[in-house]
Amino acid sequence: MKKPELKKDINGMTALTVLIGTVIGAGIFFKPTAVYSASGAPGVGLFAWFVAGVITIAGGLTVAEIGTIYPQTGGMLVYLEEVYGEFWGFLVGWAQIVIYFPANFAALAIIFATQVVNLFAFTQESTLLIAIGTAIFIALTNFLGSKYGGGIQNVATVLKMVPLFIIIIAGLFYPGGGTERLLPFASDTRALFPAFSGALVATLFAYDGWMNVGTLAGEMKNPGKDLPRVIVGGLSIVMAVYLAINVAYLFVVDSTTLAETATPAATVASKLFPGMGGKFITIGILISVFGAMNGYFLSGMRLPYVLAHKGMLPFADWFGQINRRTLVPTNGGIFILVISIAMMLTGSFNQLTDLIVFVIWIFSTMTFLAVILSRKREPERYRAYRVPFYPFIPLLAIAGGLFIMISTLLTQPLNSFLGLSLTLLGWPVYHYSQKKANIG
């Protein structure tokens, strides 16, 4: 009997909604607090959102090239394996399946449950139960097949844009607002570089998730054509939305208010739409976070399958199975779900998101560098897409990655060390898997 394989069932539109829907999640609703708290002034805060977007788009333009060279399911795992060797491909895959995807999925589940509790006045004790129940529901839906997971992503992405655009339009025309609310650029009482550095790092969670679309490349109908368009077009939309809604926020309330409130979007909405404002934005947050959860799970459940098929995981026969009826890697999804639930039991939203940043940017920066190495090693290789303004764009992406890594290491040394330690646990797992494969 022929062994089932992943089906090429994902079109460019679904991939685009996965990217936008994964990136635009909880960050734009909650991270302004951290951004303006760190910046101390509206100008520096807005500039941080802009610079983070530029770095992200530079990274997207760069990764799109290597993504078209190696358009297989796995994303960064495939890119690093091809350029740096098998061990590095395994290590980024390991970091993604034990830290990155479960932590993001768990953090978003906690945010989703918190908002449900606030909206319906449930007891705080029910938060964890709602988070776990939502995670299980999303997992079961994706287990039905990529069309179901992709369908949820398409609908959720469209719906989540509605409240964002309403806030942008209402905020920009808010009486008493105006460009003077975007000043001063910097605080008189805070050094500029630390303020900008802290604000930039705070934006990272809001921009994170775009590279996950590469994990779907093997199931895309035309990855060579669609992947660059999805990455660059999707990130451009995300950056425009982020800048516009932050300007709208500042037209309604000042940066000090944004820094002091735990729910900046709801605070702004309560002024724009008195009475129902808070409930309206909470519903928008629920849709947005639900879509982001689905995007992370849709992407993440495929990585254990890829690692298993490369002989890089223990119990490879189990991880490498695909459901014969739905043609999705259900066992990989179960693995991601179990780790996510364990993280929900032990961590909070901010703890989980802080755990991710340092490690994932090490591998992201290596991916940006991989494009330069690939050009040097295989200058004659056909490339359906070439990053524009080479090598300036890749070097900009690398410089941004290095800055983010150093800033995160200095501002969050404990979380950086913990994330790195969990990643390095993959070293004995890799060697055990290799030894077992050689014996077999």
Side-chain angles (χ1 to χ4, degrees), residues 180-208:
E180 65 273 8
R181 301 289 293 273
L182 309 182
L183 299 172
F185 180 80
S187 170
D188 294 333
T189 60
R190 197 168 303 187
L192 181 59
F193 182 78
F196 170 70
S197 176
L200 182 63
V201 171
T203 65
L204 295 181
F205 178 74
Y207 275 104
D208 186 43

Side-chain angles (χ1 to χ4, degrees), residues 306-351:
V306 175
L307 285 170
H309 268 255
K310 292 178 178 292
M312 296 180 183
L313 277 183
F315 313 109
D317 290 341
W318 186 80
F319 281 112
Q321 289 180 17
I322 291 180
N323 186 292
R324 291 186 178 275
R325 186 173 61 84
T326 62
L327 299 179
V328 296
T330 304
N331 292 347
I334 293 172
F335 180 77
I336 298 291
L337 177 64
V338 169
I339 295 180
S340 299
I341 292 174
M343 287 182 168
M344 292 179 211
L345 296 171
T346 59
S348 68
F349 170 72
N350 284 318
Q351 287 174 329

Side-chain angles (χ1 to χ4, degrees), residues 139-383:
L140 292 176
T141 304
N142 277 274
F143 292 165
L144 294 176
S146 59
K147 280 190 175 181
Y148 290 91
I152 288 177
Q153 200 63 42
N154 291 340
V155 174
T157 300
V158 172
L159 290 178
K160 78 167 58 179
M161 301 303 285
V162 174
L164 289 173
F165 283 130
I166 290 175
I167 291 174
I168 289 170
I169 294 170
L172 294 178
F173 290 95
Y174 184 72
T179 54
E180 65 273 8
R181 301 289 293 273
L182 309 182
L183 299 172
F185 180 80
S187 170
D188 294 333
T189 60
R190 197 168 303 187
L192 181 59
F193 182 78
F196 170 70
S197 176
L200 182 63
V201 171
T203 65
L204 295 181
F205 178 74
Y207 275 104
D208 186 43
W210 60 271
M211 207 179 290
N212 299 338
V213 72
T215 66
L216 307 177
E219 294 168 84
M220 291 176 65
K221 295 176 180 178
N222 192 348
K225 178 182 177 182
D226 290 338
L227 197 58
R229 295 179 179 179
V230 167
I231 292 175
V232 177
L235 288 177
S236 299
I237 293 171
V238 169
M239 181 179 175
V241 170
Y242 280 4
L243 289 174
I245 199 166
N246 271 275
V247 171
Y249 284 165
L250 291 167
F251 274 21
V252 179
V253 299
D254 57 34
S255 61
T256 302
T257 302
L258 290 174
E260 292 175 349
T261 177
T263 54
T267 299
V268 171
S270 65
K271 284 186 170 292
L272 290 173
F273 316 108
M276 291 298 293
K279 291 186 181 297
F280 167 77
I281 198 60
T282 298
I283 293 171
I285 291 171
L286 287 173
I287 295 170
S288 184
V289 174
F290 188 87
M293 286 181 66
N294 187 74
Y296 274 106
F297 194 83
L298 179 69
S299 304
M301 67 184 288
R302 282 146 174 87
L303 281 179
Y305 165 83
V306 175
L307 285 170
H309 268 255
K310 292 178 178 292
M312 296 180 183
L313 277 183
F315 313 109
D317 290 341
W318 186 80
F319 281 112
Q321 289 180 17
I322 291 180
N323 186 292
R324 291 186 178 275
R325 186 173 61 84
T326 62
L327 299 179
V328 296
T330 304
N331 292 347
I334 293 172
F335 180 77
I336 298 291
L337 177 64
V338 169
I339 295 180
S340 299
I341 292 174
M343 287 182 168
M344 292 179 211
L345 296 171
T346 59
S348 68
F349 170 72
N350 284 318
Q351 287 174 329
L352 291 170
T353 55
D354 290 345
L355 186 67
I356 299 163
V357 174
F358 180 69
V359 168
I360 205 63
W361 272 96
I362 292 176
F363 294 116
S364 295
T365 305
M366 289 178 67
T367 305
F368 305 150
L369 179 60
V371 175
I372 295 176
L373 296 176
S374 176
R375 288 270 190 115
K376 288 185 177 296
R377 293 173 186 172
E378 302 177 286
E380 304 302 321
R381 180 166 187 158
Y382 172 72
R383 298 164 194 269

